[in-house]
């Protein structure tokens, strides 16, 4: 008779979320022969092809499902579940989770907390104040050169940052945020900070509460239109590794930002475990922290995972046993580029669902990650149901070829109102 513990060799994994990031996580996990079953909640019409989608609207529903179905790992994709304490509720029942506790998720959940924390640990960041007093906020805004950055402290799904071009706009923004009209509770406190001019990087650290390993640097493209024009979005495309970040810069990001953050969070009794995402502005070769997110970026996750060779399950286990520093994290050589295909009302509103058609393409060029897609029934056509609909992911040995591959796939995907940037990775290719 075999004596092995089946739990060590076979896994049932639940992924929480419904975007391209969760699809990418599922696609990666599907390649791991130890995964017996994969579930998503709520998932999307794309994840339904990788596993089983479930409607589990409340934390308690998730906990009960994990218990009744012997789920061995829960991977939480997005910030709202983390800030809502899902990890803590699962861990309290002995269920293993990839993702930080509610207390550690405050690094993203409260920009006021984050800024005070980083200031207390001498982590380089923009000069700021955080306050609920409109007069104090305005006085500080008036003391700063233009433009001035105003942020709602709480979670706003990427919409809570305004770059005011005039002091009048700064004052009006402060009033409207603090009145609660625009962002409700999330705007009860604002952060006013100086504008930093440089280029942005997304840097991810796998953290086990004490140690961390940085992943290859990524660059996102936040604005809706080419040349960084138009409104901010969740991200219109990304690539990795970014040649705009050399080892010297990555070392500074490790020692000046990640090391003091992990030490500081541990010291206050809220160690950070999971993936910590630092949004960095590089000004004259020096890194400044713009924001922390307590989860993988979307679309950064979709470009990191195709190059990641170390199984995510091993990473989850190393984090759980506080051994992340000992696990070699291997990435394959080459580059990955992801181009977001959004629906015509993105990022302002929802769109009419339109059918998606996909022309055949050479699968060695890359693949599609599905995000804002739905289906009326398992046999009906997939619909572009709004927001960021899908990503075209190109992989190749050079950045230029990976970009070309991503655009070849992007051009193979059609739906009414398809919106995309045509300059993803151009900054790096020109540099
Ligand atoms: P955040 O959610 O704090 O990262 O802000 C969203 C976006 O606003 C960032 O990705 C930047 O493009 C921009 N941003 C935020 N803070 C600053 C700042 N202090 N200086 C310049 N741009 C900023
Ligand atoms: N791509 C930025 C984010 O996930 O917030």
């Amino acid at each position: 008779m075999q004596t092995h513990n089946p739990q060590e060799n076979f896994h049932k994994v639940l992924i929480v979320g419904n975007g391209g990031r969760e699809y990418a996580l599922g696609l990666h996990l599907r390649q791991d022969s130890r995964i017996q079953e994969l579930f998503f909640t709520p998932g999307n019409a794309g994840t339904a092809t990788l596993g089983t989608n479930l409607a589990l609207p409340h934390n308690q529903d998730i906990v009960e499902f994990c218990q009744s179905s012997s789920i061995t790992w829960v991977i939480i994709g997005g910030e709202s579940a983390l800030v809502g304490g899902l990890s803590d509720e699962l861990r309290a029942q002995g269920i293993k989770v990839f993702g930080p506790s509610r207390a550690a998720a405050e690094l993203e959940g409260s920009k006021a907390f984050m800024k005070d924390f980083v200031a207390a640990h001498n982590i380089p960041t923009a000069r700021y104040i955080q306050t609920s007093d409109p007069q104090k906020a305005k006085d500080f805004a008036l003391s700063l050169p233009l433009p001035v950055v105003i942020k709602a402290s709480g979670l706003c799904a990427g919409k809570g940052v305004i770059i005011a071009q005039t002091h009048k706009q700064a004052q009006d923004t402060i009033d409207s945020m603090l009145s609660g009209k625009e962002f409700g509770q999330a705007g009860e406190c604002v952060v006013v900070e100086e504008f930093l001019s440089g280029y942005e990087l997304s840097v991810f650290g796998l953290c086990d509460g004490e140690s961390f390993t940085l992943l290859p640097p990524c660059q996102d493209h936040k604005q809706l239109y080419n040349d960084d024009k138009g409104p901010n979005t969740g991200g219109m495309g990304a690539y990795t590794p970014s040649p705009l970040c050399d080892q010297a810069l990555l070392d500074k990001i490790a020692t000046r930002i990640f090391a003091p953050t992990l030490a500081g969070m541990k010291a206050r009794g809220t160690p950070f475990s999971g993936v910590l995402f630092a949004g960095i502005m590089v000004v004259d070769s020096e890194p400044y922290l713009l924001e922390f997110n307590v989860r993988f970026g979307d679309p950064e996750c979709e470009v990191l995972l195709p190059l990641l060779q170390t199984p995510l399950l091993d990473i989850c286990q190393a984090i759980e046993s506080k051994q992340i520093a000992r696990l070699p994290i291997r990435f394959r050589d080459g580059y990955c580029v992801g181009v977001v295909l959004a629906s015509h009302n993105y990022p302002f509103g929802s769109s009419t669902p339109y059918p998606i058609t996909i022309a055949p393409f050479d699968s060695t060029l890359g693949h599609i990650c599905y995000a804002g897609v739905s289906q009326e029934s398992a046999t009906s056509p997939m619909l572009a149901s709004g927001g960021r609909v899908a990503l075209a992911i190109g992989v190749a040995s050079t950045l230029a070829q990976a970009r070309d591959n991503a655009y070849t796939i992007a051009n193979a995907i059609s739906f009414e109102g398809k919106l995309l940037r045509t300059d993803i990775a151009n900054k790096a290719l020109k540099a």
Side-chain angles (χ1 to χ4, degrees):
M1 201 179 133
Q2 282 189 309
T3 53
H4 74 251
N5 172 2
Q7 286 230 330
E8 281 172 19
N9 296 308
F10 294 106
H11 289 272
K12 288 183 168 188
V13 177
L14 172 67
I15 298 175
V16 180
N18 65 352
R21 168 180 52 209
E22 288 74 26
Y23 182 92
L25 289 164
L27 197 63
H28 176 95
L29 287 167
R30 274 267 302 222
Q31 295 157 24
D32 191 323
S33 59
R34 294 168 294 178
I35 307 280
Q36 225 176 10
E37 272 187 282
L38 201 50
F39 299 92
F40 297 85
T41 185
N44 61 48
T47 63
T49 66
L50 302 174
T52 307
N53 287 346
L54 302 163
L56 302 169
H58 304 108
N59 286 359
Q60 191 53 33
D61 302 326
I62 295 178
V63 172
E64 282 167 18
F65 169 74
C66 291
Q67 287 173 320
S68 62
S69 302
S70 308
I71 294 295
T72 51
W73 275 101
V74 179
I75 298 180
I76 302 177
E79 64 278 12
S80 51
L82 294 163
V83 171
L86 177 57
S87 312
D88 308 70
E89 288 186 45
L90 289 163
R91 287 195 179 108
Q93 301 305 322
I95 300 158
K96 290 182 185 167
V97 190
F98 178 78
S101 66
R102 181 207 295 261
E106 279 300 276
L107 285 175
E108 178 166 2
S110 165
K111 286 188 192 285
F113 166 75
M114 182 285 260
K115 291 293 286 193
D116 286 352
F117 173 87
V118 303
H121 293 86
N122 296 317
I123 293 168
T125 189
R127 280 194 306 131
Y128 77 103
I129 60 162
Q130 59 93 353
T131 178
S132 299
D133 178 338
Q135 201 50 52
K136 275 193 192 153
K138 288 180 202 174
D139 288 347
F140 187 70
L142 289 172
S143 76
L144 293 175
L146 291 168
V148 175
V149 184
I150 322 279
K151 303 181 176 183
S153 177
L155 289 184
C156 298
K159 298 189 178 94
V161 176
I162 303 294
I163 304 198
Q165 300 298 334
T166 64
H167 283 123
K168 166 89 170 63
Q169 191 195 353
Q171 289 171 306
D172 292 348
T173 302
I174 289 166
D175 279 333
S176 106
M177 278 189 189
L178 287 176
S179 73
K181 267 185 241 147
E182 205 165 353
F183 298 109
Q185 265 196 335
E188 272 175 5
C189 171
V190 292
V191 170
V192 179
E193 67 182 31
E194 72 178 327
F195 179 83
L196 298 175
S197 185
Y199 63 90
E200 283 183 67
L201 292 173
S202 303
V203 179
F204 297 85
L206 300 171
C207 305
D208 66 8
E210 296 183 3
S211 306
F212 63 93
T213 303
L214 295 190
L215 303 182
C218 305
Q219 196 167 45
D220 189 9
H221 296 67
K222 289 255 167 84
Q223 289 82 10
L224 186 62
Y225 303 123
N226 280 7
D227 301 321
D228 296 339
K229 301 263 164 57
N232 249 333
T233 71
M236 291 299 291
Y239 67 89
T240 193
S242 174
L244 301 175
C245 184
D246 60 11
Q247 192 57 47
L249 179 56
L250 204 58
D251 289 345
K252 285 183 192 170
I253 293 168
T255 55
R256 296 183 194 168
I257 295 174
F258 279 87
T261 298
L262 282 224
M265 290 299 278
K266 186 180 170 207
R268 63 187 294 284
T270 56
F272 188 93
S273 110
V275 61
L276 183 63
F277 164 172
I280 305 283
M281 184 71 85
V282 183
V283 184
D284 298 331
S285 307
E286 300 298 330
Y288 291 82
L289 181 72
L290 289 183
E291 64 166 341
F292 273 133
N293 295 313
V294 298
R295 36 118 188 137
F296 275 118
D298 190 346
E300 291 92 333
C301 184
E302 291 93 312
V303 296
L304 280 167
L305 291 185
L307 302 180
L308 176 66
Q309 289 177 310
T310 307
L312 191 60
L313 207 51
D314 293 355
I315 292 173
C316 293
Q317 281 164 341
I319 287 176
E320 174 80 9
S321 56
K322 295 201 175 8
Q323 299 286 316
I324 197 66
R326 297 200 180 176
L327 181 72
I329 308 286
R330 287 172 288 108
F331 277 81
R332 65 189 251 206
D333 290 337
Y335 293 84
C336 187
V337 176
V339 176
V340 170
L341 309 177
S343 62
H344 61 100
N345 280 332
Y346 186 68
F348 301 110
S350 55
S351 308
T352 320
Y354 289 115
I356 303 178
T357 54
I358 298 169
F361 63 86
D362 175 358
S363 66
T364 62
L365 303 183
H367 60 268
I368 300 171
C369 278
Y370 292 97
V373 292
S374 61
Q375 228 170 356
E376 272 163 21
S377 75
T379 51
S380 56
M382 208 184 265
L383 303 175
S385 49
R388 293 183 288 180
V389 171
L391 290 96
I393 306 293
V395 184
S397 58
T398 66
L399 184 57
Q401 190 61 51
R403 187 260 323 257
D404 291 350
N405 291 355
Y407 279 108
T408 300
I409 296 170
N411 291 333
I413 305 170
S414 312
F415 57 89
E416 183 86 26
K418 177 177 104 173
L419 195 72
L420 76 166
R421 277 180 66 157
T422 57
D423 67 343
I424 302 304
N426 277 10
K427 252 182 257 167
L429 288 165
K430 280 186 196 145

